[in-house]
Amino acid sequence: MTTSSTQALIQSLLQHKKSINQASETAKNEALAKMATSLQAAQAEILAANQIDMENAHGHIAPVMLDRLKLTPERIAEMAQGILALQALPDPVGHILASHQAENGMYIQKVAVPFGLLGMIYESRPNVTSDVAALAVKSGNAVILRGGKEAYNSAAAIVKALKAGLAQSEISPQVIELVSDTSRASSLELMTAKGQIDLLIPRGGASLIKAVVENATVPVIETGTGICHVYVDQAADLDQALKIVANAKTSRPSVCNSAEVCLVHEKIAATFLPRLNELFKGQVQMRADQQALPYLPDAIAAGSQDFDTEFLDYIMAIKVVPDTQAAIDHINQHSTGHSEAIVTKDDRQAQLFTQAVDSAAVYVNASTRFTDGGQFGLGCELGISTQKMHARGPMGLAEMTTYKYIIQGDGQIRA
């Protein structure tokens, strides 16, 4: 596919976006039901396409990344359930965000509306394809998807199924399109489609996000890489802390909400770290600073970049700190602003941590792995925003709308 074909897709989406921008809540919910049914009906085709992607990627990407790419009947069922879950959520379009009556009698409302046409550039996670398409439909947006080459066959099969579902609804199938050109040229064309694409969202590794932020002339929401931290305070329940650190690191290390760094208060280091060593031994490579190293016989010395790296693997950097403020200072210096956790029974330390840590999601006595639209009750998500403008944290339906002011008058004119 050439870049001119990408432009043809954009033009088609602009032509058909009215079908979704102006759709009723009933029409959108019925479309979601058809999409979910069609997705499950196409399971065999989707799994066959995914097998091609898995075979092509084998030996070229890390095993944990292969897990992100892999689809199973269970994962397809979860994707379909994520689509259906959006039906139960309130339609964000038309929601009155604020209202007041001016002194001159005009009634002024601030009302949520769709962006219009969204662009999504993402890497090798096939479920993102269905999540974004479903969120776009529910929020009244058309969407152009540009996935990574590793997952292209899977994404194409998923989009084909979703469009087949839309064809049975009032909404045009041409409000969802997938770019088949996975070269840099197609990404650049989306990044520079100013006046056509209303909002562009990158979702993937640091290099992808950096490229989009630096090159885009269209508005961008920066989704974040996840250098996430767990701080174990001196007042922590150590059994609870071990469970939280283990879950945050090992339950699914290839995702952005997995923890990459463990910070430990110096007063419990001699007790907690040997237990962590036994827990991680043979499973997680520990890279420890000089204070932590004596308590971790299976660890190696941390390098200069280990506290600034999103490993996305069974690797964790470990550091001993003198107090909560030092943990906060380290996090605010090295974090990507995604998710951080403190484990403590001291309410004062918890309050200090939650107030001072400058990240999108801050946990007390819970794993960072919960930073997810579904876990937050938002349905499937568009991504995790680490910026502070418009959207922050898991981006659900509300974050896929902007707003406009609607003013009702009765002949008022300005003097």
Side-chain angles (χ1 to χ4, degrees):
M1 185 175 185
T2 65
T3 54
S4 59
S5 306
T6 302
Q7 182 58 223
L9 283 182
I10 293 173
Q11 291 301 321
S12 176
L13 284 157
L14 292 171
Q15 180 183 348
H16 291 91
K17 70 175 185 175
K18 182 192 299 184
S19 170
I20 187 65
N21 292 167
Q22 299 179 11
S24 68
E25 181 176 11
T26 298
K28 291 187 288 188
N29 283 340
E30 289 176 352
L32 290 171
K34 298 292 187 182
M35 291 164 67
T37 299
S38 183
L39 185 72
Q40 290 197 289
Q43 176 179 291
E45 293 84 353
I46 294 170
L47 290 176
N50 182 248
Q51 185 60 35
I52 295 171
D53 288 335
M54 291 290 290
E55 291 172 358
N56 290 339
H58 191 75
H60 300 286
I61 62 177
V64 291
M65 293 301 179
L66 282 174
D67 177 66
R68 292 174 69 161
L69 177 59
K70 184 178 180 180
L71 288 176
T72 63
E74 293 74 21
R75 288 185 178 180
I76 293 174
E78 289 172 2
M79 289 159 59
Q81 188 56 46
I83 296 173
L84 292 174
L86 292 176
Q87 290 181 298
L89 296 178
D91 188 345
V93 178
H95 178 61
I96 299 173
L97 304 173
S99 65
H100 70 279
Q101 190 160 23
E103 290 184 2
N104 65 4
M106 293 191 309
Y107 185 59
I108 301 169
Q109 292 180 316
K110 183 179 179 181
V111 182
V113 296
F115 275 97
L117 175 56
L118 302 176
M120 184 81 180
I121 300 176
Y122 57 105
E123 293 179 338
S124 56
R125 293 184 68 178
N127 66 294
V128 173
T129 303
S130 66
D131 288 354
V132 173
L135 283 163
V137 167
K138 180 72 177 195
S139 61
N141 291 287
V143 64
I144 185 165
L145 303 163
R146 193 280 193 189
K149 63 181 180 180
E150 294 86 359
Y152 175 73
N153 292 291
S154 305
I158 291 167
V159 169
K160 181 180 178 181
L162 297 177
K163 288 167 77 76
L166 282 175
Q168 302 172 52
S169 76
E170 297 178 19
I171 296 169
S172 169
Q174 290 172 283
V175 300
I176 300 172
E177 297 292 357
L178 176 70
V179 177
S180 60
D181 177 9
T182 57
S183 70
R184 178 176 170 80
S186 66
S187 291
L188 284 171
E189 189 156 8
L190 296 184
M191 294 178 207
T192 55
K194 190 173 182 180
Q196 297 175 317
I197 293 176
D198 296 293
L199 181 67
L200 184 64
I201 304 101
R203 181 169 173 176
S207 60
L208 168 65
I209 294 166
K210 183 173 183 287
V212 174
V213 170
E214 291 181 351
N215 291 287
T217 59
V218 301
V220 172
I221 289 183
E222 184 176 351
T223 61
T225 53
I227 302 180
C228 304
H229 299 71
V230 178
Y231 165 56
V232 183
D233 181 49
Q234 66 171 329
D237 177 324
L238 298 192
D239 290 335
Q240 185 181 83
L242 287 168
K243 290 179 181 178
I244 289 172
V245 174
N247 179 264
K249 178 70 268 182
T250 66
S251 62
R252 201 171 180 193
S254 63
V255 294
C256 62
N257 58 21
S258 65
E260 307 291 16
V261 179
C262 180
L263 304 173
V264 180
H265 195 291
E266 63 182 9
K267 290 187 177 179
I268 60 164
T271 305
F272 178 76
L273 289 176
R275 294 182 64 184
L276 185 66
N277 186 87
E278 288 304 307
L279 185 65
F280 278 175
K281 185 176 181 179
Q283 183 184 21
V284 177
Q285 183 186 95
M286 295 165 283
R287 302 183 181 181
D289 77 340
Q290 290 304 308
Q291 279 185 274
L293 207 54
Y295 306 115
L296 298 165
D298 293 289
I300 62 173
S304 60
Q305 297 301 311
D306 284 334
F307 292 99
D308 297 291
T309 299
E310 184 184 31
F311 299 114
L312 299 175
D313 205 341
Y314 289 98
I315 303 170
M316 183 171 241
I318 301 170
K319 180 180 178 65
V320 172
V321 294
D323 53 31
T324 302
Q325 187 59 57
I328 292 166
D329 292 342
H330 178 94
I331 290 168
N332 287 341
Q333 180 180 352
H334 297 274
S335 171
T336 52
H338 193 295
S339 302
E340 328 297 344
I342 181 173
V343 186
T344 186
K345 296 300 182 184
D346 186 329
D347 291 342
R348 291 174 300 175
Q349 300 306 308
Q351 183 177 14
L352 172 62
F353 190 87
T354 56
Q355 287 181 339
V357 166
D358 189 18
S359 293
V362 185
Y363 295 84
V364 178
N365 297 323
S367 170
T368 59
R369 288 279 288 110
F370 287 103
T371 307
D372 173 90
Q375 295 294 323
F376 279 19
L378 306 175
C380 45
E381 70 181 31
L382 193 66
I384 308 295
S385 171
T386 55
Q387 66 181 36
K388 300 181 184 180
M389 296 293 289
H390 173 65
R392 196 179 196 192
M395 291 185 290
L397 292 170
E399 288 71 35
M400 297 182 77
T401 61
T402 182
Y403 58 83
K404 63 184 176 186
Y405 287 92
I406 298 176
I407 303 95
Q408 299 286 346
D410 185 26
Q412 288 89 343
I413 61 174
R414 185 168 178 176

